Structure formats: C-alpha cells, structure tokens
Amino acid sequence: MADKFTMNQRREPRFAADQPIYVTLLRQPESRLPAIVKNSSGRGMGLAMANPVPIGTAVKIECDDSILLGEALYCRDDGGSFFVGVELEHALYGLVELGRILGEFAEESSGREYSHALKNRRDQHHKQPH
C-alpha cells in the first residue's frame, strides 16, 4: 500500500465520487454554485448540479487545495438535477502549500525591504543640503 507522501505526489488530484465542490460559471455575471463530483479523470469531470449549465460555458472548479479550469461540454437533465460534463484545460494543485510558502516569503521579504527602505530614506535625508 502506498504511503500518504506517495499519494500526494500525483500530477492530478483524485476526486472521490459524491465529493462536494464549488463551480464558478465564468460569465457575466459570475455565479458560484455547489456541485457534486460524480466521476473524474485526468481530462474531465462529471458533475451533478441543481441548475443547468449552458454548453461552452467556462468554469472554475474549487476543491480542497486545487483550482481547475475547463468548459462545459454537455448538460443533461438527470431527473431532479443536471449532469454536467466538463473538459478540464488548466489546473493548479497544492495551493495550500503554495500559500504557506508565499506567506513565509512575504514575511521574510517585507522585513528586509522595509528596513532597506528606511535606511535609504535616512541616507537620502542626510545627503540633502539644508
């Protein structure tokens, strides 16, 4: 059995069936809607949604620490909900870790930049003729 570290090194996230997610329809106006993953693969997802999604609509899918961008390829009435097939085009994975790293970098950079800016300001003030 693979350990947790190995499983997290996949290039594509695994989505469990019946996993709740959010889908943002990227049109005017944008709308953020809940959905349930019914199936997924490296290039697509099948979603159950309460409302129909027009074919060709660009979508952003948010789940855990991933953001996926794609397009609605089809939408069919599924008896009380709608089954939306999405072709995935772009993906960002590991956003929690990326956010942590950027936060650490920002803290380190801000301290140095701030002290550097103060030093430069003091130096410029002392160089100016009075």
Side-chain angles (χ1 to χ4, degrees):
M1 181 174 176
D3 61 20
K4 185 175 181 181
F5 179 77
T6 303
M7 302 222 16
N8 287 334
Q9 297 303 307
R10 291 182 174 146
R11 290 181 52 108
E12 298 170 354
R14 300 289 182 200
F15 293 95
D18 298 322
Q19 180 177 358
I21 60 169
Y22 281 96
V23 176
T24 301
L25 305 182
L26 301 174
R27 59 184 183 170
Q28 294 299 326
E30 283 189 0
S31 53
R32 186 171 186 254
L33 307 168
I36 303 290
V37 175
K38 291 313 215 177
N39 59 58
S40 70
S41 68
R43 297 288 299 149
M45 288 184 125
L47 307 174
M49 300 184 67
N51 300 307
V53 175
I55 295 170
T57 300
V59 297
K60 175 175 73 171
I61 298 169
E62 302 167 65
C63 180
D64 296 330
D65 71 340
S66 301
I67 293 177
L68 310 168
L69 300 174
E71 179 181 340
L73 292 183
Y74 60 88
C75 179
R76 69 174 184 250
D77 190 327
D78 206 22
S81 67
F82 293 88
F83 188 81
V84 180
V86 175
E87 179 180 30
L88 301 175
E89 298 186 19
H90 300 285
L92 297 170
Y93 307 115
L95 296 177
V96 171
E97 180 66 9
L98 178 61
R100 184 191 65 76
I101 291 168
L102 289 174
E104 290 174 2
F105 178 74
E107 288 174 10
E108 291 174 11
S109 295
S110 293
R112 279 187 253 141
E113 288 175 9
Y114 182 71
S115 62
H116 179 69
L118 285 178
K119 182 181 179 309
N120 281 347
R121 197 163 153 200
R122 269 195 313 261
D123 291 347
Q124 287 176 356
H125 179 71
H126 291 298
K127 289 179 187 177
Q128 291 178 357
H130 295 279

